[in-house]
Amino acid sequence: MKKRLAEKTLAAVLSTAVIFTATAVPAFADITSAVEGSEGAAVSVSTTTDSTATTITSGSGVVVSGIGSAVEGQTGTASSTASGSTGVTGPGAGDSMSNSASVGNVVIAGTSSVSGVQTEGEKNAVNADILGGATLTMFNSQSDSQILSCMIQTNDGSLIVVDGGFGEDADYLTSQIQARGGRVSAWLVTHPHGDHAGALYRILQNADSRYAAGLDPLITIDSIYYSMADADWYRTNDPDECTMAIALLGAFESHPTLLHTVGRGDTFQVDTATIQVLNDRYEATSDKGNNAGIVYKVTVNGVSILFLGDLSQAGGAHLLQVASPAELKSDIVQMAHHGQNGVGQEFYQAVSPSICLWPTPSWLWVSQESKYTIQTTKQWMIQLGVQKHYCMKDGDQVIR
């Protein structure tokens, strides 16, 4: 789903940059009163303290930390801010419950947070040795959209890709695969929606074009693991998203030797990584395309990672019935449906993760609860005591 400016902002959508009226940066008692502005008007932040900013650089990311006291500005550390963002966010401004308020490309970190969830990117945390020599990367969207694109690199360099994102993410994903040797041992497809399977479709189409021109493909894929219905099922049961599903089925016809249809109980190995398939395609009565997704559990060097795709309430409830507690329990969980309107609290309680992967752009991270339920999901993770949160809004996320 593409971003919509009306959904990105809390108090207003601004078309101009932030103006600091003096070298001093305020110790905001109330963020919303400091940053609210009307459409088309610049925001002016006045001085309320003697503390001065180190530097304020026009047009670049500025992080202001320590809200509620004298504040220092720092440049060059706002990697968590989406380029070109024009929203105004902050506690009390409607739907903001994040740990950072932002105006344009300015991030104000450390604001009081209703959600209480602080990401590893916001902490500038240094990774400990979590995966025993393997690497898990969650790639950022190239269009500030909801996507899922993950890659596991095992100890010997073998690559496992999960989904891949939109078509416009294909070139970046291809370059990342090439940088790691250019060969994918296993490509796992959760479900054939554009924000998950579009990149794979584009890569397969590109390979066909290069084959036709007598050229080798840019990357090599050994195996694609998936479970899909026929085209008519998607036309009938998932009409809003059927275009990509039908296109992907067509692309698969040119690559039959790569394809492996999966179901519950299937297990396969890629170097030190064991991949388990926890469910069959499930045809729910609602949100049929998302709930028909496949859930994969990848265990690498003893650390388990659960990929839920866009599974929502009905699919999660069904999986709770068919999977054992041991199968569901995982160290790392990819938050279902980008963290909003996904599986229920009981499901996450069964998983009991130590680390959450949020394939979530910045506009969704602070979105209104009236449409998206991400703030509720954050509260569930707080109640579970999860301390580590890796979020796509902070750029490519790497766990080693």
Side-chain angles (χ1 to χ4, degrees), residues 127-195:
N127 268 323
D129 182 12
I130 296 172
L131 295 182
T135 302
L136 167 62
T137 304
M138 179 172 61
F139 295 111
N140 194 14
S141 166
Q142 300 302 295
S143 58
D144 197 21
S145 304
Q146 297 182 126
I147 68 164
L148 178 60
S149 180
C150 290
M151 180 189 297
I152 297 170
Q153 185 169 23
T154 66
N155 296 60
D156 77 345
S158 298
L159 299 183
I160 302 166
V161 174
V162 181
D163 285 352
F166 275 115
E168 52 259 49
D169 300 296
D171 288 346
Y172 181 68
L173 180 57
T174 296
S175 72
Q176 295 301 305
I177 294 169
Q178 289 174 317
R180 294 164 174 82
R183 188 179 204 97
V184 177
S185 296
W187 199 302
L188 312 180
V189 179
T190 64
H191 66 298
H193 284 175
D195 56 334

Side-chain angles (χ1 to χ4, degrees), residues 307-320:
F307 292 99
L308 299 176
D310 279 354
L311 207 66
S312 62
Q313 288 276 353
H318 176 73
L319 189 53
L320 277 173

Side-chain angles (χ1 to χ4, degrees), residues 59-118:
S60 68
V62 180
V63 174
V64 185
S65 60
I67 299 306
S69 60
V71 184
E72 288 187 348
Q74 302 171 352
T75 60
T77 56
S79 60
S80 63
T81 307
S83 175
S85 172
T86 56
V88 177
T89 63
D95 61 358
S96 177
M97 301 186 188
S98 74
N99 275 41
S100 63
S102 63
V103 184
N105 285 337
V106 180
V107 177
I108 303 174
T111 60
S112 70
S113 172
V114 176
S115 75
V117 170
Q118 187 176 24

Side-chain angles (χ1 to χ4, degrees), residues 1 146-148 163 190-191 193 195-196 241 287 289-291 295 306-313 333-344 348 357-361 363-364 367 371-374 377:
M1 181 184 298
Q146 297 182 126
I147 68 164
L148 178 60
D163 285 352
T190 64
H191 66 298
H193 284 175
D195 56 334
H196 291 253
E241 299 282 355
D287 201 5
N290 286 330
N291 281 317
V295 174
L306 192 64
F307 292 99
L308 299 176
D310 279 354
L311 207 66
S312 62
Q313 288 276 353
V333 65
Q334 171 251 313
M335 305 304 288
H337 202 238
H338 315 280
Q340 56 90 13
N341 294 304
V343 299
Y348 286 120
L357 294 179
W358 299 81
T360 309
W363 59 267
L364 177 56
S367 64
K371 180 172 183 179
Y372 304 107
T373 62
I374 192 164
T377 309

Side-chain angles (χ1 to χ4, degrees), residues 11-12 14 31-38 42-44 88 92-93:
L14 305 183
I31 292 296
T32 58
S33 64
V35 301
E36 281 184 353
S38 60
V43 173
S44 177
V88 177

Side-chain angles (χ1 to χ4, degrees), residues 204 220-226 252 254-260:
L204 293 176
T220 300
I221 302 173
D222 292 338
S223 298
I224 298 172
Y225 298 90
Y226 76 110
F252 281 173
S254 301
H255 304 272
T257 60
L258 307 183
L259 304 180
H260 303 271

